[in-house]
Amino acid sequence: MNYSIETEKIIDYNKREQVVPSLLLHACCAPCSSACLEYLSSFFNITVFFYNPNISPKAEFDKRLAEERRLITEMLPDKNINVIEGTYNYNDFLDAIKGLENAKEGGERCFKCYRLRLEKTAQLAKEMKFDYFCTTLSISPLKSAQKINEIGFETAEKFGVKWLPSDFKKKEGYKRSVELSKQFHLYRQNFCGCVFSKKEEN
């Protein structure tokens, strides 16, 4: 499945129906959010959900959250995009990936982490009656859009809320995120967030 085309199909349908749906967008960091927000904000009423208990240490989490807020304020001041800060508990991440501490980066441990964050996003989307939920994760060339969307659809069925399929790296989305990161002088980290990704990067 070409998830980028699936996104366009949903956007085109909503445009024909003359509706602007609400979207709860899980964000992992400002650089990844930049191109996603630039694209989606023309078609959805967006609320950003910053839920990333995988990030360590807490100072790194706080730094990324602050950059997320700054990006939205500076890049899209007229869009009225709110940011919901998810509860930070690193043990939630450790519990989710227990037994996979030595797994290869980009494999099963990461998939458990995706699921942890997407389930929390879907749960909140259901509670707050959002039309769709989605994540910025697929913009990374290091992350599997197929796996992210597979988990997204499963999570959507579990919680009874619509998943917005995506592959934001398509159509030079990742390249655009790099350009926007330079334009807004964003802090661009060199590891995904957890201690395991940092260890592998080092």
Side-chain angles (χ1 to χ4, degrees), residues 149-189:
N149 282 280
E150 177 185 310
I151 294 170
F153 282 120
E154 290 172 359
T155 304
E157 185 174 356
K158 178 179 178 180
F159 289 93
V161 62
K162 286 188 286 189
W163 165 251
L164 180 68
S166 67
D167 189 355
F168 292 123
K169 70 176 70 65
K170 296 281 189 179
K171 297 186 174 180
E172 299 193 324
Y174 176 72
K175 179 182 177 181
R176 181 58 178 158
S177 75
V178 173
E179 292 171 350
L180 289 169
S181 294
K182 291 178 180 178
Q183 180 181 338
F184 291 97
H185 307 289
L186 298 176
Y187 164 60
R188 195 172 183 89
Q189 63 283 346

Side-chain angles (χ1 to χ4, degrees), residues 81-134:
I81 297 175
N82 294 319
V83 178
I84 298 175
E85 179 182 349
T87 302
Y88 178 81
N89 186 343
Y90 193 62
N91 286 330
D92 289 343
F93 166 69
L94 294 178
D95 290 343
I97 58 91
K98 191 172 183 179
L100 295 168
E101 291 84 355
N102 296 318
K104 185 178 179 181
E105 184 70 12
E108 287 299 323
R109 184 182 63 237
C110 294
F111 301 159
K112 292 283 188 181
C113 183
Y114 302 164
R115 189 175 296 276
L116 169 67
R117 291 183 280 174
L118 288 180
E119 287 197 351
K120 185 67 71 172
T121 307
Q123 182 181 12
L124 184 61
K126 178 69 173 180
E127 291 173 359
M128 298 184 70
K129 295 180 170 53
F130 281 88
D131 296 312
Y132 295 91
F133 76 104
C134 188

Side-chain angles (χ1 to χ4, degrees), residues 1 9 16 37 44 47 57 64-65 67 77 80 86 94 105 109 124 128 164 174 180:
M1 183 182 294
K9 287 180 181 178
R16 288 195 302 271
L37 287 169
F44 296 90
T47 297
R64 295 191 193 191
L65 175 58
E67 284 291 86
N80 195 30
L94 294 178
E105 184 70 12
R109 184 182 63 237
L124 184 61
M128 298 184 70
L164 180 68
Y174 176 72
L180 289 169

Side-chain angles (χ1 to χ4, degrees), residues 42-55:
S42 295
F43 311 110
F44 296 90
N45 289 320
I46 300 174
T47 297
V48 167
F49 183 40
F50 194 87
Y51 175 69
N52 300 288
N54 57 305
I55 296 175

Side-chain angles (χ1 to χ4, degrees), residues 32-34 87 93:
C32 287
S33 299
S34 59
T87 302
F93 166 69

